[in-house]
Each structure stands twice: as structure tokens, then as C-alpha cells.
Amino acid sequence: MKKSAKSAGHFVRVLASPRFFRATMVVLVLQATWLALSGRYPMAFDEDFHFGIIRLYAHHLWPFWAHQPAGANMFGAVARDPSYLYQYVMSLPYRFISLFTHDQTIQVLCLRGIDIALFTLGVVLFRRLLQRTGASAALLNFCCAVFVLIPVVPLLAAQINYDDLLLPLIAITLELTMRIVDELRAQRRLNGRRVLLLAIVCLLTSLVKYAFLPIFLAIMIYLHLEFRQAYAHRQVFIRAILDSWRALSRRLRWGLVALLCLSFAMFSERYAINTLRYHTPTPSCNKVLNVQACSAYGPWIRDYTFAQANTHGPHSPLVFTADWFYGMWLRLFFAVDGPGTEFETRGPLLIPSLAAIAVAAGSLVVAVRYGRQFLNRRRHPLLFLAMLSAVIYIAALWLVEYQAFVRTGQAVAINGRYLLPVLLPILVWLALAWRQALRTLSSRAWMAGLALLCLVWGGGALTYMLRSSDAWYWPNQTIHDVNYAAQRFLGPVVPGYRSPDLFL
């Protein structure tokens, strides 16, 4: 018993060490870098869509369009797409890279490298943010390791995709929110500088990807609750706003106001005008263009074709929810190629995918029994905010995809990567609940070690390496040799390796 406790203590100390977290980040970067070097362009997660629009913006000074750009129909209604800021920002390094080379392969690899850096920064910022939960370093490092070993995580980080910028921006918005609340609670003082900064960052993040809007809503709800508690009367709140305004220096005051006006104008130029003109902030392609023009846009024509054939298709939310959970799980752990093989898909490997189901089922019970205590807004403000954001975000995601299901009769666009922006806080919340359920250090160490072992045994980039084929790779012999060596030497000891259609 003493030996077991001593081993558990040593394992926990390893987990808690800064070296373990740094090693985790190195693993993430190495995994994503190898996938970026392996996977030929375009990879599966809309990489041709993002790179194509980046190239359009590279020949356009402003992020605004008076009309649909020439040759842009294959990317949908570009001029009215509210999720454009990532492509515009990435067009700046693309312009610089293009000064030195017109080789598309080198351009793609350079942009993939930037995306890997952005995604890694997002994980680092989220870990720093989640320290506010009071969770131990060992627990936080464990959750980060679990996150980077989910197969879709390095696969997403390796691609040109706006989610790679969205992740650090979400961490920044939540951090700014918590700093406002900390000062409000400690000093009964409203920090006008941070409030303005938060508004600016939230407005701009909404233009990176419209999926941030539910999190924006959660932040506003949370701040409303905090302001109501801090200021019982409206006059007191107005006085606090005026005091915070006067506390700013003249230069800072007008600089922030100018940035706020600019970001609000950019936000309104898409969301407000779209709502007024098309009665929705995110109009369908055919509301902006005609059907013939939209037919060149793959996701739209897929849904349109399904919808035309859907006369008496299934509408049951229960049927859809079952498909939704299955699709989310499958596409967190699968391997997939891009348009070159018509999105050839290979099933998850046995141990990491089944372990995820087992842990998720156990976590449901544990969260109900022990997780509620960590959702107290006064005692655990960050977890309350993070989980409120996650609930609203996931509910909005489910609703949008259910509406597509009703319209098309098919469970389309269900992707596990959509959960990644809110997954790290969820993992920390569940880990805190498990810590309460498992009373001894030895049981916690065994649980953590077993979970990491299951994910290492076929998870992370290894899923892609073992499931991929020659058609997925860049035409480079070294890439082929390394991936085939992994398949030859590691494949036989990874359960499920010889069944590529597993769970499909």
C-alpha cells in the first residue's frame, strides 16, 4: 500500500511539473507539424475554402467588398460572409510570403505553420485562464495532455482554418471578462479600459467565426448578473460608468473609443446589414446570389440537393440527437483526407475511441453527483462562465445542425472539431468532479494514467498515420517512408488497426 501511494505521488508530481506541460506543447507542435508536412493540400477541414479566400484578400486592400468578387462563387457569398477576419488577417503574411515564392506548396506550408502557432498559443492561454479555477497544476496538465491526444486536435491545428485563431481569442475574451469581475468584486470598481477592450475583442472575434456569437451572449449574460449584484440601482451603475470613463487618460479614452467604433462598424457592416437585408445575420448563399452561382459552392449545393429530394424526411429531434452524439464522437477520433480522395474516411482506432465512450458515460454520472458544486457563480466564477458559454454554444450548435437536418433530411455537417473551442473547460470541470469522486491519490493517479495510456495507444497524430494511405500525402518519399514505417511497426500492436472501416 505504501509503495502504491509513493508511486502515485511520484506520478502526480510528474504531471504537475512545468516540464510536463512544456513536453505536452512540444508533442502538440510535433504532431501538428508532421501532419502539416504529410497531408497534401487541400486537407479535409475546408482548407481550400480558407486558402482561396486568403488569396482573394491578398489582392484587395480592404476587408469589404462592394459585390461578389470575380471567381469567388466556389466559396459562397464571400461579400456577405460574416466570418471573414481570419482570412483577411492571414492574407497579410501570405502577401509577404508571395514576395519570395509563388510555389503554392511552400505558401500552404508556411500558413499551416502560422496556424500551428496560433492553436498552440490557444492551449497555453486556456491553461493560464483555467488556473483561476483553483485546479492543481497536475489536473490542468492532465487535461491539456488529454486534449492534444484527441486525434482531431493535431489534425485541425495542422490545417489552414479559422478555428486555429478562434481558440486563443476565446481564451482572451474569457480572461478579460474575469479580470473585470475580479476588480468589480474586490474593489467595487468598474474598469472602463477592460470593458472597452472586451467589447472590441468580442466584436472582432465574432468576425473571425460567427460561432463565437453564443459565447458573446454568455459573456453578456454573465456580466449582467455581476453588474446587477454589484450595483443595486441603475443610478449607481451609471455613476460607476462615468467614474471609470473619467479615470482614463484622454489619449487612452479616445483611442479605445476609436477602436470600439471601428470594430462596431465592421461588425455592423456584416451582421446588422445582413439582418436588415436578408432577415438573418448569416444568410444562405442563395439569398445573396442566385442558385446557379451558388451551385459552385460545395457545402451549399450538397444541402440544396438533399433538400430538394427531402419530401417526407425524418424530423424527430431524438433521432437526430442520437446521430449527433455518434457523429461528434466519431469525428473526434477518426481520420479523414481532403477533396483529392473525395474525403476518404477511416474509422477510429479501438482503444482511444472506446475509452472515450467509457469515460464519457462515467463522467455523466460523476458530473451529476459532484460537478454541480463547481458551478456556483460566487465560489467558482470562471467555471460558471465557461460552462455557461459551453452550454449556450453547444445548444446553438445542436439547433443549427438540427435545422439543417429538418431541411435536408440528412445529418449533415456534424463535426467533432466544432466542440474544441469549449472542450478544455469542460475537461477541467469533469476532472474536478472526478477528483471529488475518487477519494485517494492512488485512485486518481491510476485513473489519469489509464486515460493517458488509452489515448497514447492509437490517439493523437498516430490515428492519421496508421489510417492514412499514399493518396493522402504530399508526393515526397520521406513522408511516405515515415508513415509507412509507423504502420508497419506500430500498427500490429494497436487494436483495430486492420479494420479501417471500424465504427463507420
Side-chain angles (χ1 to χ4, degrees):
M1 183 67 70
K2 289 183 178 180
K3 186 175 180 181
S4 175
K6 185 177 179 180
S7 299
H10 178 70
F11 176 69
V12 170
R13 284 192 296 273
V14 170
L15 277 182
S17 68
R19 289 183 178 179
F20 184 87
F21 179 69
R22 287 196 292 268
T24 301
M25 293 301 94
V26 169
V27 168
L28 171 60
V29 171
L30 290 177
Q31 288 184 110
T33 300
W34 182 250
L35 295 184
L37 293 173
S38 291
R40 66 169 178 169
Y41 172 84
M43 294 176 78
F45 300 149
D46 305 321
E47 198 174 32
D48 51 347
F49 171 86
H50 293 292
F51 186 62
I53 299 178
I54 286 168
R55 293 201 288 189
L56 287 176
Y57 277 118
H59 301 286
H60 193 71
L61 183 60
W62 306 108
F64 313 112
W65 303 90
H67 48 75
Q68 177 78 350
N73 288 349
M74 63 184 297
F75 308 122
V78 172
R80 301 311 314 158
D81 187 351
S83 306
Y84 69 88
L85 197 54
Y86 165 82
Q87 292 100 335
Y88 180 74
V89 169
M90 289 293 281
S91 75
L92 302 179
Y94 173 82
R95 296 176 209 205
F96 178 75
I97 295 163
S98 297
L99 294 175
F100 301 96
T101 179
H102 294 290
D103 188 316
Q104 179 176 284
T105 300
I106 296 175
Q107 293 170 347
V108 167
L109 290 176
C110 288
L111 294 184
R112 285 179 179 179
I114 295 172
D115 275 81
I116 292 169
L118 288 171
F119 193 94
T120 305
L121 175 64
V123 178
V124 171
L125 291 177
F126 255 110
R127 187 196 180 280
R128 188 174 71 176
L129 169 72
L130 292 165
Q131 287 176 325
R132 290 175 169 271
T133 63
S136 66
L139 186 146
L140 292 175
N141 291 348
F142 165 75
C143 290
C144 289
V146 167
F147 184 73
V148 305
L149 289 172
I150 296 172
V152 80
V153 168
L155 188 59
L156 175 64
Q159 301 186 34
I160 301 171
N161 190 283
Y162 49 16
D163 287 332
D164 297 326
L165 178 57
L166 183 66
L167 190 69
L169 287 175
I170 290 175
I172 290 170
T173 58
L174 296 180
E175 177 70 32
L176 282 171
T177 304
M178 291 313 305
R179 291 190 180 189
I180 292 167
V181 171
D182 287 347
E183 197 162 349
L184 189 65
R185 290 185 176 188
Q187 304 174 21
R188 293 286 174 180
R189 177 173 172 268
L190 186 62
N191 191 312
R193 177 174 63 87
R194 288 202 177 109
V195 171
L196 289 172
L197 275 175
L198 176 63
I200 292 165
V201 176
C202 284
L203 289 168
L204 294 178
T205 305
S206 301
L207 296 173
V208 171
K209 188 175 182 181
Y210 74 88
F212 177 73
L213 292 176
I215 298 175
F216 194 175
L217 175 61
I219 289 172
M220 290 193 293
I221 292 172
Y222 181 75
L223 287 177
H224 174 71
L225 295 174
E226 291 291 334
F227 290 157
R228 280 190 61 182
Q229 186 160 340
Y231 305 107
H233 302 288
R234 184 179 300 175
Q235 292 81 359
V236 179
F237 180 55
I238 294 173
R239 193 179 306 121
I241 293 174
L242 293 175
D243 290 343
S244 68
W245 174 258
R246 296 189 192 100
L248 299 175
S249 68
R250 186 181 182 86
R251 181 178 297 179
L252 181 61
R253 181 188 303 171
W254 295 112
L256 287 172
V257 168
L259 286 174
L260 180 63
C261 290
L262 175 62
S263 57
F264 183 74
M266 293 172 67
F267 180 90
S268 300
E269 188 271 338
R270 292 298 162 100
Y271 287 108
I273 291 178
N274 283 352
T275 301
L276 290 172
R277 188 178 296 171
Y278 306 108
H279 310 295
T280 173
T282 55
S284 176
C285 178
N286 63 318
K287 287 190 175 183
V288 181
L289 309 175
N290 56 44
V291 172
Q292 182 179 357
C294 291
S295 296
Y297 181 38
W300 184 87
I301 192 61
R302 175 201 63 198
D303 291 358
Y304 178 79
T305 303
F306 284 148
Q308 293 299 303
N310 180 34
T311 53
H312 302 288
H315 290 173
S316 168
L318 293 178
V319 170
F320 172 74
T321 300
D323 288 341
W324 189 84
F325 276 111
Y326 167 76
M328 286 295 179
W329 163 79
L330 175 72
R331 293 175 182 89
L332 281 171
F333 291 91
F334 74 156
V336 61
D337 188 40
T341 58
E342 297 184 353
F343 300 96
E344 186 175 42
T345 301
R346 293 290 178 259
L349 291 162
L350 198 63
I351 291 181
S353 58
L354 291 185
I357 294 175
V359 172
S363 295
L364 181 63
V365 177
V366 169
V368 171
R369 175 66 178 85
Y370 299 100
R372 289 176 294 174
Q373 62 183 293
F374 298 107
L375 300 181
N376 184 297
R377 183 166 61 89
R378 297 303 300 171
R379 293 176 56 200
H380 301 283
L382 174 60
L383 278 176
F384 180 87
L385 170 61
M387 296 311 296
L388 176 65
S389 301
V391 168
I392 296 177
Y393 174 88
I394 293 172
L397 176 63
W398 181 93
L399 180 61
V400 168
E401 294 181 337
Y402 175 68
Q403 290 172 335
F405 171 72
V406 171
R407 188 171 61 253
T408 64
Q410 304 285 332
V412 295
I414 298 176
N415 284 292
R417 64 187 170 96
Y418 297 156
L419 297 177
L420 298 187
V422 296
L423 188 55
L424 260 174
I426 292 173
L427 289 175
V428 170
W429 175 59
L430 292 176
L432 288 168
W434 276 103
R435 188 184 66 179
Q436 292 295 103
L438 302 172
R439 299 296 183 180
T440 67
L441 184 64
S442 295
S443 60
R444 295 170 187 169
W446 273 105
M447 180 73 175
L450 184 61
L452 290 177
L453 176 63
C454 289
L455 284 170
V456 168
W457 205 347
L462 195 57
T463 297
Y464 180 93
M465 295 174 72
L466 296 182
R467 290 303 200 203
S468 55
S469 65
D470 194 68
W472 296 24
Y473 308 142
W474 293 106
N476 180 281
Q477 192 60 44
T478 301
I479 290 169
H480 294 203
D481 291 346
V482 173
N483 284 304
Y484 282 131
Q487 294 173 13
R488 188 164 58 252
F489 293 109
L490 298 179
V493 298
V494 177
Y497 165 67
R498 301 194 185 281
S499 303
D501 295 332
L502 199 64
F503 303 119
L504 296 182

